[in-house]
Amino acid sequence: MRILVVEDEPRMAALLRQGLTEEGHAVTVALEGRGGLCMAEAGGFELLILDVMLPGLSGFEIARSLRARRIQTPILMLTARDAAHDIVKGLDLGADDYLTKPFSFDVLLARVRAVSRRGPIPQTVLMEAAGLAMNPATREVTRDGRRIDLTRTEYAILEMLMRSAGRVLPREILIEGVWGVAAEIESNTLDAFVRLLRAKVEEPGQPRVIRTVRGVGYALGGETP
Ligand code: CA
């Protein structure tokens, strides 16, 4: 991943550069806030690691400024202060995760991996699969340009199917994702919602897009088994 580190403390900056480079990342370091913001705005990074306390502009200000310009590069905030207030503020301003100094490098790497797995946060990504398009920011769903209005639950099911397009999602995973881990729903509740979803997504004469995989679950698109 291409990572921009904005950190004014030289030792910490060097440590981050070395450790992340050893993990195979391409690391750029900015030592103060304004320069960091300029580089982040110029783009080309897949992750920003921002210290909060910086000369020039704080990490908070950088995050706010980027999000205000709809730059959605994932942000991992480093804070020396573990006040809950700071953490909440950082997340509220658009950070995706935070780490309190001092931290172990293993923990940092785990967070970096988690953020990179999540990828860019959804606002920028229009998901497309099997002729369907979904904008997670506006929750707008279309098929071949036709707008489809879904309820919250129908949307949640379709979003999971689209994120795993072409692969079979087991029933338990779908239920856990839509209703939560501890959810106790009737077994046929999922099927009922999928029926409703199909009725909206698959108009008469259109090819089916949601496949039932008997005894396993559902899939969007892909091969018929
Ligand atoms: Ca600092």
Side-chain angles (χ1 to χ4, degrees):
M1 263 199 305
R2 286 155 301 165
I3 301 176
L4 174 66
V5 173
V6 189
E7 166 64 82
D8 60 312
E9 197 194 317
R11 267 192 55 216
M12 176 61 87
L15 184 79
L16 287 167
R17 182 200 291 277
Q18 186 190 344
L20 291 167
T21 303
E22 279 170 9
E23 282 291 302
H25 300 294
V27 181
T28 303
V29 173
L31 293 169
E32 54 83 41
R34 289 189 191 284
L37 176 60
C38 287
M39 289 187 210
E41 279 175 350
F45 296 102
E46 288 146 285
L47 173 67
L48 310 176
I49 299 180
L50 305 180
D51 187 27
V52 171
M53 299 294 283
L54 291 165
L57 283 176
S58 73
F60 290 150
E61 289 167 313
I62 295 175
R64 177 169 39 213
S65 179
L66 291 172
R67 297 305 189 233
R69 288 171 215 195
R70 304 207 161 277
I71 296 170
Q72 305 292 359
T73 315
I75 294 174
L76 176 61
M77 202 77 95
L78 302 180
T79 173
R81 304 169 295 181
D82 57 358
H85 170 77
D86 271 8
I87 291 159
V88 170
K89 184 177 173 190
L91 296 177
D92 198 39
L93 289 175
D96 299 276
D97 202 354
Y98 69 92
L99 210 49
T100 306
K101 292 177 181 176
F103 49 82
S104 91
F105 212 79
D106 285 344
V107 172
L108 173 77
L109 292 176
R111 298 289 179 86
V112 167
R113 278 194 294 272
V115 170
S116 66
R117 262 200 305 277
R118 284 201 292 272
I121 60 175
Q123 278 84 331
T124 51
V125 179
L126 186 67
M127 289 193 284
E128 288 177 298
L132 291 164
M134 170 179 278
N135 183 339
T138 60
R139 300 175 81 84
E140 192 176 80
V141 177
T142 57
R143 180 169 184 185
D144 301 329
R146 174 179 64 91
R147 172 83 191 258
I148 300 167
D149 289 313
L150 300 177
T151 63
R152 199 197 64 80
T153 302
E154 291 160 358
Y155 179 92
I157 293 169
L158 184 62
E159 184 177 13
M160 286 191 73
L161 289 170
M162 287 192 72
R163 288 191 188 281
S164 301
R167 284 179 291 148
V168 180
L169 270 182
R171 303 176 57 84
E172 313 79 68
I173 302 284
L174 271 164
I175 290 169
E176 191 179 308
V178 174
W179 286 277
V181 180
E184 287 186 23
I185 61 158
E186 297 290 322
S187 151
N188 57 9
T189 303
L190 174 64
D191 306 301
F193 274 105
V194 171
R195 258 198 312 280
L196 291 168
L197 179 59
R198 272 189 173 135
K200 294 183 179 179
V201 168
E202 300 168 350
E203 288 207 314
Q206 278 187 318
R208 309 206 79 176
V209 287
I210 300 172
R211 283 191 294 132
T212 304
V213 183
R214 203 165 292 280
V216 185
Y218 292 97
L220 184 77
E223 295 298 305
T224 306

